[in-house]
Amino acid sequence: MPGSTVDPHPGATGGAPDWPAQFARRTSLGGDELTAILSLAASTDVITFSGGFPAPETFPTDVLQDLLPRLVKEEAAVALQYSPTEGLPAAREAVATLLADGQGRSVDPVQVLITSGGIEGLQLITRTLIEPGDRVLVEAPTYLGAIMAFAGFEAEVEGVPMDDDGLRVDALEEALSSGRRPKLVYVIPDHQNPSGRSLSEQRRRELVEVCRRHGVLLVEDVAYRDLAFDGHAAASLWSLAPDVVLQLGTFSKVLVPGVRLGWAVGPAPLVTAMTAAKQNSDQCAGALGQLLMAEYVRRGHLADTLEVARPLYRHRAGTMLDALDRHMPEGVTWTRPTGGFFIWLTAPEDVDTRALVAPAERLGVAYVPGAPFYTDLRGGNELRLSYSRADDASIDEGIRRLAGLLGGER
Ligand SMILES: Cc1ncc(COP(=O)(O)O)c(C=O)c1O
């Protein structure tokens, strides 16, 4: 407006209001690390091994270019409208079909809740169950977004150690036998984020039995389940024990994350309560994405996408493992994933991977330091590498630079 001036003293006592002073307590509970990862995702001059991003080469752009206009033209009344909170029937049916085909357990589509991605599934179950101070057990290390979801609702999150076969069920049993009964145990059994490890078949059976015996909910996150390099997936925890397992899935890693879509399936009272919680958040997942996914699955395209994705990720993982073998100094070790996006690296005890983030960035390489994936003081000398979105030359060069840094060229 011509002649108007900005009031330099908008606050009641002069000066700009102190907005942070007005934040709720929960606002300060986590969030910064994930924001930093996502902000690096946009930079072009850094070789980024940080975010868990799918390779754009796997995005089925041809099929989507055909499907999307068709949905808008022929199904506008549904595709562009609000959908039921629990999801469109076609989307719930598509998930039920995938569960029956891929996990060998049939479920009535009305028992499937469609979510706006995997993170929302975590938010909904947390919001449904967690009171401040409730105990939650997770793998150590575990997915940062899960720690943030639990901590954001003021849970006391406790890590249970893993080894090369995944969560140590003996350690879980010990944790369950001491202290208060946790509200839930959260596990990523396949090609885990961040470690790349998978839970062995035998431990899967032991794990569900332990949770049954203790009457504790097991939340199974299957984000990377379909991305085994050889296409072989072990029995899902939900398929073994649908009475005590809530499964959370996402289409972000196998279709596109640009359509925020996932699912929850498990004990009916929980799924019903999560649906009510969803009414109180985004009310429904986007209908356009739901129809797109349903049609994509119905036509069998998801299987085609996986045929492209698995060899690509196997190749990239192999390239990174070769580069690590070639470049890393003595005393550094790493996991050897059989699927998914991640390798977990352990440097000698005296290395502080958090302190090396900035020097690494100056060298043009980005990773996520290990500590935020733990809920205690562990992980200071560990870090996560994601190979999913990097090409061969960048992988080799990025690992070479990182190896120099870890070897002391700082
Ligand atoms: C284990 C795990 N669960 C859930 C998610 C989030 O999925 P979405 O992007 O669908 O919210 C991720 C993404 O990084 C993940 O690694």
Side-chain angles (χ1 to χ4, degrees):
M1 210 193 297
S4 76
T5 51
V6 177
D7 180 358
H9 303 297
T13 55
D18 181 0
W19 300 121
Q22 298 182 38
F23 289 173
R25 190 159 45 109
R26 78 180 82 86
T27 306
S28 65
L29 302 173
D32 293 352
E33 308 269 3
L34 205 57
T35 309
I37 294 173
L38 291 173
S39 70
L40 261 184
S43 54
T44 48
D45 50 352
V46 172
I47 298 174
T48 175
F49 301 141
S50 48
F53 287 62
E57 295 91 324
T58 66
F59 296 165
T61 47
D62 288 352
V63 179
L64 299 187
Q65 276 172 44
D66 172 46
L67 270 180
L68 271 170
R70 199 180 300 199
L71 288 174
V72 172
K73 195 166 170 208
E74 295 169 15
E75 311 253 7
V78 177
L80 304 182
Q81 190 52 280
Y82 289 112
S83 79
T85 302
E86 56 274 18
L88 286 168
R92 301 168 93 192
E93 268 161 40
V95 170
T97 305
L98 289 175
L99 294 176
D101 294 350
Q103 300 184 30
R105 179 170 282 279
S106 1
V107 60
D108 190 323
V110 302
Q111 292 178 281
V112 174
L113 168 64
I114 300 294
T115 64
S116 301
I119 289 183
E120 201 212 13
L122 274 163
Q123 288 284 336
L124 294 177
I125 189 58
T126 308
R127 193 176 166 133
T128 297
L129 290 183
I130 300 300
E131 303 275 15
D134 275 346
R135 193 174 178 219
V136 166
L137 300 181
V138 300
E139 293 160 310
T142 191
Y143 170 47
L144 194 47
I147 295 180
M148 281 166 32
F150 301 139
F153 282 87
E154 300 176 56
E156 280 179 19
V157 192
E158 210 175 296
V160 179
M162 307 176 80
D163 62 20
D164 284 344
D165 283 338
L167 180 76
R168 275 187 40 212
V169 180
D170 61 326
L172 176 73
E173 174 106 65
E174 227 170 87
L176 287 171
S177 307
S178 60
R180 286 169 301 138
R181 180 154 64 148
K183 274 278 173 70
L184 62 91
V185 177
Y186 170 73
V187 179
I188 308 157
D190 318 284
H191 323 298
Q192 196 230 24
N193 180 4
S195 73
R197 298 176 184 123
S198 292
L199 191 63
S200 71
E201 278 282 356
Q202 191 192 334
R203 285 210 190 151
R204 287 172 192 245
R205 288 164 209 282
E206 291 166 1
L207 176 59
V208 297
E209 279 319 313
V210 165
C211 287
R212 257 197 193 123
R213 208 164 50 243
H214 287 266
V216 170
L217 176 69
L218 191 49
V219 175
E220 173 187 40
D221 185 330
V222 291
Y224 304 93
R225 177 181 166 79
D226 291 325
L227 290 173
F229 301 147
D230 66 0
H232 172 77
S236 76
L237 303 174
W238 169 75
S239 72
L240 293 173
D243 51 326
V244 287
V245 177
L246 177 81
Q247 179 176 101
L248 302 177
T250 173
F251 289 95
S252 299
K253 314 295 177 177
V254 292
L255 180 53
V256 289
V259 174
R260 308 289 295 131
L261 219 51
W263 71 86
V265 65
L270 289 180
V271 177
T272 304
M274 288 168 72
T275 310
K278 188 168 171 61
Q279 263 153 16
N280 202 9
S281 60
D282 71 349
Q283 194 185 316
C284 62
L288 183 60
Q290 292 188 59
L291 283 190
L292 186 72
M293 176 279 285
E295 192 56 15
Y296 197 77
V297 170
R298 200 184 63 74
R299 293 187 186 184
H301 290 312
L302 195 58
D304 301 338
T305 306
L306 291 171
E307 290 301 310
V308 173
R310 287 180 184 133
L312 179 71
Y313 295 131
R314 179 176 50 218
H315 174 79
R316 289 187 174 171
T319 304
M320 188 172 273
L321 289 169
D322 287 349
L324 288 163
D325 283 337
R326 211 168 23 253
H327 299 301
M328 276 297 154
E330 194 121 330
V332 178
T333 58
W334 51 89
T335 56
R336 305 191 77 86
T338 56
F341 291 180
F342 308 109
I343 291 173
W344 187 247
L345 187 141
T346 305
E349 295 263 331
D350 62 331
V351 174
D352 177 355
T353 58
R354 217 176 203 147
L356 291 181
V357 166
E361 250 181 78
R362 285 195 291 276
L363 288 176
V365 58
Y367 61 85
V368 190
F373 297 98
Y374 289 93
T375 56
D376 50 25
L377 296 175
R378 282 176 277 185
N381 59 327
E382 298 170 12
L383 62 87
R384 190 189 75 179
L385 296 169
S386 171
Y387 48 78
S388 53
R389 207 171 46 143
D391 61 35
D392 289 4
S394 308
I395 289 176
D396 193 68
E397 179 56 22
I399 295 297
R400 194 187 62 75
R401 292 179 196 175
L402 196 57
L405 202 57
L406 294 176
E409 290 169 23
R410 292 166 210 172

